[in-house]
Amino acid sequence: ASLTSMNKISKILVFVLISSLMISSSIGQEHQSHTHSRSNNLKNFAKDKEESRRLNTQQEISQLQSWLDNQVSNKSSMVGVSAFIVAGSSPIETVTSGQAVLASAWDATDKKGIETTAEDVTADTVSMWASTSKLITWTALSMLLDAGKFDLDDAVDDVLSFEVRNPSYPSVPVTYRHVYAHTTGIIDIWSGYLYDNQCPSDPMSPYPTSLEDSVKSLVSKSSKWKSWRPGSRQLYSNYGTALAALLVEAHSGMSFPEFLKTYIFDPLQMTSTQFSRPSTGSVAELYTLYQTNGYKYQANYGGYCYPDYPSGQLWSSATDLAKFAIAMLNRGSLGRTTSDGADCLYSEETGQLVYQKISPSTGDGDSALGWFVGSPYYSGGAGHDGSETGVSADFFIHLNKNVAIGYWANGELTNGQYVLLYDRLLETAEAIGSIDMDYNSNNPKECTTTFSAGESPTPPSPTTPAPTPPSSTCTDSPLRLKIEKWNGDRITRDCRWVKNRISRCNLSGVASACPLTCGTCSNCEDTALRFKVVKPDGRKKFQNCAWVGNNSSNRCSFDGVEETCRVTCGGC
């Protein structure tokens, strides 16, 4: 009986065990089924969401296209329009309407009627962008600010072959801050326009006269300066932007067009962009209403060019400017890595700085690093409009909503039409929604700039001097010094800059100018560097210790000279 009972118990236990395993397996399979189902549901949800976003974009662009066609067909000043919208997941959308070239118009250059084949505007049609061009120029200069070539309050003529001084205030330097904020006091001129084949066809030479000659000729005339102190008032200056381009040349050692192609246009794959009118492809003629000699419109066929070309002579397509807009939204990120390892135009820190007001108490107070920011024109972001003979343009990046818009029209729009286009484009961009951003203000990233990617690394210092204890008779020069870097670039810095990286003491002439920082107090010598001296009349000039020695009894008393020329001034 006992054995039979035990057999029954064993069978029951086996049954329970098998049942448990079956239940466990069933639960596992059910859990796997639920997990798999949930995963599929999430994927399907993402697909549905993306499809919904795509359809919404299509609908918004379709509605915008219909609206634009209606506007262009009913407004004589809108001969043709090409616009971009940076929004959503695409993220570039373009809409175009009207004609790039009319079948007939009066040629204002040759004074005759022109009959030709009409051409419609396309997304790839290239047009002048007028003063919107300035954003490219300011970006180039800001790339060099990011590279440490200058500080905002440095004098611009430190690196030029001529002085840039208001004759009413010869001792007050014109600074980079003044140039960015249009507070230099430089007065524009409107002469020097050339037309059609008078303008160079080479994109590396947009105007026959060099930037240096054009800018130098203007600023040397006392009549081309306002009577106020530099930095005290705002006066929008096209030649101030030409000066910015010249500073790009001075700091980079390259022509301005070469710098742009190498460090901005090629990395951003802006293949249709240059500062001279293209000779091939779809190119817009620039029209104004004429209503004379039997013609409704007139144009300077073949375009025109002018001495201060960096201020407004950019030729580009809406597609190319949209690529630039995406980089600007992402604070300089290229969105890719180039073959030489670059992935940004400038650091994210500079990418934020360019949109910060730098002269809020001067003029209208909306100037950042060349950009116009915030109210009244660019609420929530930054931008720049443009207007020239036969062309109107605008460009805006919404920094709060992460969208951008821009357009050109080969006609002269009224103020109301500027606003109309701007508002409708922005409405569509906001309806589509934000682009997928690389930039995250809460998670800043390091990057390699296009300008630095091709540079040779700073060579290791063979003998970095060890600092010595401070001496009561040994001090660093307090003056601004002309320093040559390892790569041959010449910059203007002081001993505080040297202190940030002691290896800089090995740069030629630095150790003798900064003995306290470099630990060379026991080596009493004059520096071989040139340094900025403030003369008794307030004028500033770069000189050297040999110049001091020619009149040491007088010149050693100038601020900072005794600490800089220790042998000549008897400071050893």
Side-chain angles (χ1 to χ4, degrees), residues 468 471 473-475 509 511-516 519-528 545 561-572:
T468 57
S471 165
T473 60
C474 177
T475 59
S512 56
C514 310
L516 187 60
T520 55
C521 289
S522 59
N523 302 330
C524 187
E525 55 186 353
D526 289 344
T527 182
C545 290
V561 169
E562 183 177 1
E563 297 92 322
T564 309
C565 305
R566 292 191 290 162
V567 174
T568 296
C569 295
C572 296

Side-chain angles (χ1 to χ4, degrees), residues 196-251:
D196 195 11
N197 56 15
Q198 293 178 323
C199 299
S201 58
D202 181 3
M204 294 295 105
S205 179
Y207 191 79
T209 306
S210 70
L211 276 176
E212 181 175 21
D213 288 346
S214 296
V215 174
K216 182 178 180 179
S217 174
L218 183 82
V219 301
S220 64
K221 298 180 176 70
S222 58
S223 61
K224 296 307 172 185
W225 291 89
K226 286 292 186 181
S227 60
W228 60 65
R229 181 186 178 93
S232 64
R233 301 185 195 178
Q234 195 224 37
L235 176 69
Y236 186 79
S237 176
N238 291 300
Y239 266 84
T241 312
L243 172 58
L246 179 59
L247 292 168
V248 170
E249 293 189 342
H251 285 296

Side-chain angles (χ1 to χ4, degrees), residues 70-85:
N70 181 61
Q71 294 298 316
V72 172
S73 63
N74 286 291
K75 290 182 172 56
S76 297
S77 55
M78 292 186 185
V79 176
V81 175
S82 183
F84 73 79
I85 287 177

Side-chain angles (χ1 to χ4, degrees), residues 182-476:
H182 294 278
T183 59
T184 61
I186 295 173
I187 300 172
D188 283 328
I189 57 174
W190 305 101
S191 59
Y193 276 66
L194 301 176
Y195 299 91
D196 195 11
N197 56 15
Q198 293 178 323
C199 299
S201 58
D202 181 3
M204 294 295 105
S205 179
Y207 191 79
T209 306
S210 70
L211 276 176
E212 181 175 21
D213 288 346
S214 296
V215 174
K216 182 178 180 179
S217 174
L218 183 82
V219 301
S220 64
K221 298 180 176 70
S222 58
S223 61
K224 296 307 172 185
W225 291 89
K226 286 292 186 181
S227 60
W228 60 65
R229 181 186 178 93
S232 64
R233 301 185 195 178
Q234 195 224 37
L235 176 69
Y236 186 79
S237 176
N238 291 300
Y239 266 84
T241 312
L243 172 58
L246 179 59
L247 292 168
V248 170
E249 293 189 342
H251 285 296
S252 68
M254 304 168 70
S255 73
F256 181 63
E258 182 185 7
F259 181 94
L260 297 181
K261 177 173 171 54
T262 303
Y263 298 123
I264 299 180
F265 298 156
D266 284 354
L268 287 176
Q269 300 175 313
M270 296 170 66
T271 56
S272 302
T273 303
Q274 57 193 47
F275 267 86
S276 58
R277 187 182 191 275
S279 55
T280 60
S282 178
V283 183
E285 296 293 353
L286 312 179
Y287 296 99
T288 58
L289 287 170
Y290 186 51
Q291 306 289 16
T292 307
N293 295 327
Y295 292 93
K296 184 176 182 180
Y297 297 95
Q298 69 173 353
N300 293 107
Y301 277 85
Y304 50 86
C305 58
Y306 38 84
D308 54 316
Y309 69 86
S311 71
Q313 201 176 295
L314 185 75
W315 288 79
S316 186
S317 66
T319 302
D320 267 14
L321 264 292
K323 296 174 183 177
F324 177 69
I326 293 172
M328 294 298 96
L329 279 173
N330 281 298
R331 307 320 192 261
S333 172
L334 301 180
R336 68 186 191 96
T337 301
T338 64
S339 59
D340 56 1
D343 56 0
C344 63
L345 298 178
Y346 40 49
S347 67
E348 289 189 353
E349 180 182 8
T350 298
Q352 278 285 77
L353 177 64
V354 297
Y355 306 126
Q356 294 175 14
K357 296 180 182 181
I358 59 169
S359 191
S361 62
T362 304
D364 58 8
D366 64 354
S367 296
L369 295 191
W371 294 77
F372 294 122
V373 295
S375 298
Y377 306 114
Y378 296 109
S379 181
H384 207 299
D385 64 351
S387 176
E388 253 288 3
T389 302
V391 65
S392 308
D394 209 348
F395 183 104
F396 172 61
I397 56 173
H398 202 309
L399 299 171
N400 296 336
K401 297 186 178 180
N402 299 326
V403 297
I405 59 168
Y407 67 84
W408 61 258
N410 57 337
E412 297 183 0
L413 304 184
T414 65
N415 288 337
Q417 289 166 352
Y418 269 95
V419 174
L420 189 71
L421 277 172
Y422 174 96
D423 286 348
R424 187 62 178 84
L425 290 171
L426 185 57
E427 177 186 330
T428 299
E430 292 177 348
I432 294 172
S434 169
I435 65 170
D436 298 325
M437 295 282 289
D438 291 335
Y439 171 74
N440 183 349
S441 60
N442 296 320
N443 184 28
K445 301 187 299 290
E446 296 294 324
C447 69
T448 300
T449 68
T450 56
F451 183 68
S452 67
E455 288 188 325
S456 301
T458 301
S461 168
T463 53
T464 300
T468 57
S471 165
S472 59
T473 60
C474 177
T475 59
D476 289 339

Side-chain angles (χ1 to χ4, degrees), residues 8-75:
K8 288 180 178 179
I9 292 172
S10 296
K11 289 178 180 179
I12 291 170
L13 290 174
V14 170
F15 175 78
V16 170
L17 178 61
I18 291 172
S19 298
S20 298
L21 290 172
M22 291 176 67
I23 292 170
S24 176
S25 175
S26 175
I27 292 172
Q29 290 176 357
E30 185 177 353
H31 176 71
Q32 281 186 332
S33 176
H34 282 310
T35 301
H36 183 67
S37 176
R38 185 163 59 248
S39 176
N40 282 339
N41 286 340
L42 288 174
K43 289 179 181 178
N44 290 334
F45 176 76
K47 287 182 180 179
D48 289 345
K49 184 177 180 181
E50 186 59 33
E51 178 64 10
S52 175
R53 195 177 185 188
R54 185 186 68 81
L55 291 174
N56 177 60
T57 298
Q58 283 185 346
Q59 182 180 3
E60 291 292 339
I61 294 299
S62 177
Q63 292 173 355
L64 175 63
Q65 183 66 64
S66 298
W67 178 87
L68 184 61
D69 288 340
N70 181 61
Q71 294 298 316
V72 172
S73 63
N74 286 291
K75 290 182 172 56

